[in-house]
């Protein structure tokens, strides 16, 4: 279960990094690698334990799970934004795009990858 959760976090981090950097001057293999490492750390520390807890009763494409992932993603993204000096990230459309994208991609990968594997066992 933990190895699958790590894989979910890694795949989600890669997707989020690529989407975040498209059209950016930082779009490069090195940029994707750096952003993937950053997002992977956040997924590993926050999303993976939450995912393991929620998957005690696995539900594929559960709207409730998506809502929970969004709440946690919003809180963490807000805290990180404030640490980096953004006084009120809630006035930024980029903030909402980022936290919704992070939660949604994690939920998709979780539902496709982990839930499929969980239902086989």
């Amino acid at each position: 279960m933990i190895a699958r959760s790590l894989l979910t976090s890694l795949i989600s981090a890669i997707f989020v990094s690529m989407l975040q950097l498209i059209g950016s001057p930082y779009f490069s293999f090195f940029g994707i690698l750096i952003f993937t490492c950053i997002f992977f750390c956040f997924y590993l520390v926050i999303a993976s334990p939450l995912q393991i807890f929620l998957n005690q009763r696995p539900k594929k494409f559960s709207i409730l799970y998506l809502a929970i992932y969004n709440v946690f993603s919003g809180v963490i993204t807000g805290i990180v934004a404030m640490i980096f000096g953004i006084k009120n990230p809630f006035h930024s459309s980029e903030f909402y795009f980022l936290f919704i994208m992070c939660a949604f991609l994690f939920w998709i990968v979780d539902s496709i990858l982990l839930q499929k594997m969980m239902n086989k066992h």
Side-chain angles (χ1 to χ4, degrees), residues 45-75:
V45 172
I46 285 80
S48 287
L50 180 61
Q51 177 189 37
I52 291 169
F53 175 76
L54 290 175
N55 282 309
Q56 299 301 314
R57 297 178 188 220
K59 295 179 184 169
K60 200 172 202 176
F61 296 106
S62 168
I63 299 299
L64 176 61
Y65 289 6
L66 177 59
I68 292 169
Y69 289 148
N70 266 300
V71 167
F72 277 83
S73 181
V75 169

Side-chain angles (χ1 to χ4, degrees), residues 10-70:
L10 180 61
I11 292 170
S12 298
I14 291 168
F15 284 150
V16 167
S17 297
M18 289 174 35
L19 287 173
Q20 185 68 22
L21 292 175
I22 288 178
S24 163
Y26 304 108
F27 190 79
S28 65
F29 178 75
F30 186 67
I32 291 172
L33 184 64
I34 297 276
F35 274 73
T36 296
C37 289
I38 293 167
F39 283 115
F40 179 70
C41 289
F42 283 107
Y43 278 130
L44 188 63
V45 172
I46 285 80
S48 287
L50 180 61
Q51 177 189 37
I52 291 169
F53 175 76
L54 290 175
N55 282 309
Q56 299 301 314
R57 297 178 188 220
K59 295 179 184 169
K60 200 172 202 176
F61 296 106
S62 168
I63 299 299
L64 176 61
Y65 289 6
L66 177 59
I68 292 169
Y69 289 148
N70 266 300

Side-chain angles (χ1 to χ4, degrees), residues 63-119:
I63 299 299
L64 176 61
Y65 289 6
L66 177 59
I68 292 169
Y69 289 148
N70 266 300
V71 167
F72 277 83
S73 181
V75 169
I76 298 304
T77 304
I79 291 170
V80 169
M82 287 186 248
I83 288 171
F84 283 103
I86 300 171
K87 293 184 184 196
N88 192 351
F90 303 104
H91 288 114
S92 168
S93 60
E94 292 173 3
F95 164 76
Y96 291 103
F97 176 75
L98 180 61
F99 93 74
I100 291 170
M101 178 181 59
C102 287
F104 183 75
L105 286 172
F106 189 81
W107 176 71
I108 291 289
V109 174
D110 172 56
S111 292
I112 291 172
L113 182 68
L114 192 64
Q115 298 295 334
K116 184 176 182 180
M117 290 179 184
M118 292 296 293
N119 290 332

